[in-house]
């Protein structure tokens, strides 16, 4: 398998450091607000990377942190008059729910910096011992001039970085690019004891400290959004290597997400949280949309593109239903799939893997599946798909879905779809469109869902 490594700026062979074991660290969100599409994209593309490695038989350890202490979490907690912990615990729950609706596998470890203060302090002590850290009035800083490789990941020289930096008169830092490892206590901020004075960690140090704890001094892949390359990942490298660790062997970054061809930002008013989008589109459609473009390419969100994703998924759903029907109607018989069907499957497996092995070329991988759907559909049209054929195609779709996580195999409606239909029915009733409301009730009944209108709203239960 080849992956694009941001450090070498090209595709490299992916060879794990320890045989079959792979360690991956993904920078997670700062938990002070609802997750938006950009968070969803980064979480989904690297979830797919992890799932593909598992599909290929690797034993993957996946770490994704929650940043629970920084200016943003402190500001918002103060504004709401609650503790930082209360605030961040609330948003971690919300993220967990959103990620689970997006069918993102839970990480093996999801550490928070506030629970790793001793590890963070230990790392800063190593940086002092190795001559990379110094004290100022407001905190402990990293001296980037002591780390000659600084700038390599983002492709900037130390000189360029100096020329580009804004020099503030009051700045006592040795270099404009020096960054805080430890920030001394300010009123209204949580703080911990340290050998240098009470305070809290700078942002970058957490990922260096927590990755070494859970993945060791050297691990396979560090990933994150493209916006984290500089300064966050550059600073992580300076810290971890400065402390004497080999750190990440490869670096992978996902591209930006634009909204209607503009950068997503709160000030432009084109900012959507995942929850806002889930009101319009099922999380499965959102997942499919977010993984259907190459992870490194910029991805453009528009109503049109989400509609397309919905259409593509419903074609897959129809296909899987057709296979189900064949299996139900023809009854299990002891036989092998036809040679023609086996050949279509093995050809598809090959091109799916060829695509994924080429730095997760998802377009090629999805094109292979579409082609299979087309070819098998033609066979179904000619009634030449047997139980064994349908079963082997379904098994193939299931194995592909262990990587993609987007298909639906049972006929049962998912709870979120039921909820959506209930909302639609409530709206229809409010608008006195009783015909539509009754149709929805009948449709649900047909799917084995019975509705009960109570004074607290509509409840549902399955009857078959
Ligand atoms: Zn990080």
């Amino acid at each position: 398998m080849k992956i694009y490594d941001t450090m070498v700026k090209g595709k490299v062979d992916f060879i794990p450091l320890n045989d079959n074991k792979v360690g991956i660290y993904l920078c997670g969100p700062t938990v002070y607000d609802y997750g938006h599409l950009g968070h969803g994209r980064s979480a989904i593309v690297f979830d797919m990377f992890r799932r593909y490695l598992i599909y290929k038989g690797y034993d993957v350890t996946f770490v994704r942190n929650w940043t629970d202490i920084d200016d943003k979490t402190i500001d918002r907690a103060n504004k709401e008059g609650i503790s930082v912990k209360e605030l961040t615990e609330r948003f971690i729950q919300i993220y967990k729910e959103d990620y689970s609706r997006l069918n993102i596998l839970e990480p093996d470890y999801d550490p928070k910096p506030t629970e790793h203060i001793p590890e963070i302090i230990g790392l800063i002590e190593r940086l002092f011992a190795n001559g990379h850290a110094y004290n100022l009035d407001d905190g402990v800083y990293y001296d980037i001039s002591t780390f000659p490789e600084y700038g390599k990941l983002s492709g900037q020289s130390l000189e360029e970085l100096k020329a580009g930096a804004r020099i503030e008169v009051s700045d006592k830092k040795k270099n404009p690019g020096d960054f805080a490892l430890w920030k001394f206590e300010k009123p209204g901020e949580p703080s911990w004891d340290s050998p240098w004075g009470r305070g809290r960690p700078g942002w970058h140090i957490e990922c260096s400290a927590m990755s070494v704890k859970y993945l060791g001094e050297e691990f396979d892949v560090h990933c994150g959004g493209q916006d984290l390359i500089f300064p966050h990942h550059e600073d992580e490298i300076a810290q971890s290597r400065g402390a004497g660790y080999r750190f990440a062997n490869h670096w992978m970054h996902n591209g930006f997400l634009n909204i209607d061809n503009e950068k997503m930002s709160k000030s432009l008013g084109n900012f959507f949280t995942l929850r806002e989008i889930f009101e319009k589109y099922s999380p499965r459609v959102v997942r499919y949309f977010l993984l259907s473009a190459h992870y490194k390419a910029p991805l453009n969100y528009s109503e049109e593109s989400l509609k397309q994703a919905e259409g593509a998924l419903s074609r897959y759903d129809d296909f899987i239903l057709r296979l189900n029907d064949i299996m139900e109607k023809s009854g299990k018989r002891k036989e092998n799939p036809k040679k023609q069907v086996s050949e279509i499957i093995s050809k598809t497996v090959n091109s799916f893997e060829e695509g994924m092995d080429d730095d997760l070329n998802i377009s090629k991988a999805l094109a292979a599946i579409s082609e299979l759907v087309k070819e098998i559909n033609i066979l179904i049209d000619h009634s030449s798909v047997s139980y064994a054929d349908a079963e082997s195609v379904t098994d193939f779709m299931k194995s592909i879905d262990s990587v993609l996580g987007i298909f639906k195999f049972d006929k049962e409606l998912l709870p979120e779809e039921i909820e959506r239909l209930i909302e639609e029915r409530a709206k229809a009733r409010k608008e006195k469109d009783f015909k539509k409301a009754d149709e929805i009730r009948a449709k649900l009944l047909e799917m084995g869902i019975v509705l009960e209108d109570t004074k607290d709203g509509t409840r549902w239960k399955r009857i078959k």
Side-chain angles (χ1 to χ4, degrees), residues 27 207 232 236:
C27 288
C207 293
H232 184 54
E236 280 188 36

Side-chain angles (χ1 to χ4, degrees), residues 25 27 65 203 207 222 232-233 236:
Y25 188 94
C27 288
N65 66 308
W203 169 34
C207 293
H222 194 313
H232 184 54
H233 288 164
E236 280 188 36

Side-chain angles (χ1 to χ4, degrees), residues 29 31 33-35 39 43 64-66 88-112 115 274-275 278 283:
V31 282
D33 205 347
Y34 289 92
H39 296 119
R64 187 188 63 220
N65 66 308
W66 307 109
T88 56
E89 288 299 324
R90 184 171 97 214
F91 281 110
I92 285 172
Q93 263 326 305
I94 289 169
Y95 267 100
K96 280 189 177 171
E97 283 166 27
D98 289 354
Y99 283 175
S100 136
R101 293 181 74 185
L102 287 168
N103 203 8
I104 293 165
L105 300 179
E106 278 198 33
D108 297 298
Y109 300 99
D110 59 344
K112 309 173 197 120
E115 291 173 1
L274 288 166
R275 296 200 163 194
F278 293 163

Side-chain angles (χ1 to χ4, degrees), residues 436-458:
K436 188 177 173 193
D438 287 344
E439 276 167 12
I440 294 172
R441 175 187 275 273
K443 181 178 170 187
L444 282 166
L445 192 61
E446 207 177 292
M447 314 287 298
I449 305 296
V450 65
L451 299 184
E452 244 178 47
D453 292 311
T454 72
K455 62 178 186 339
D456 301 321
T458 304

Side-chain angles (χ1 to χ4, degrees), residues 109-137:
Y109 300 99
D110 59 344
K112 309 173 197 120
T114 56
E115 291 173 1
H116 293 78
I117 300 295
E119 288 84 351
I120 288 171
I121 289 175
L123 184 60
I124 301 174
E125 280 177 326
R126 287 177 78 105
L127 292 174
F128 266 109
N130 293 349
H132 296 296
Y134 63 95
N135 260 302
L136 284 180
D137 299 344

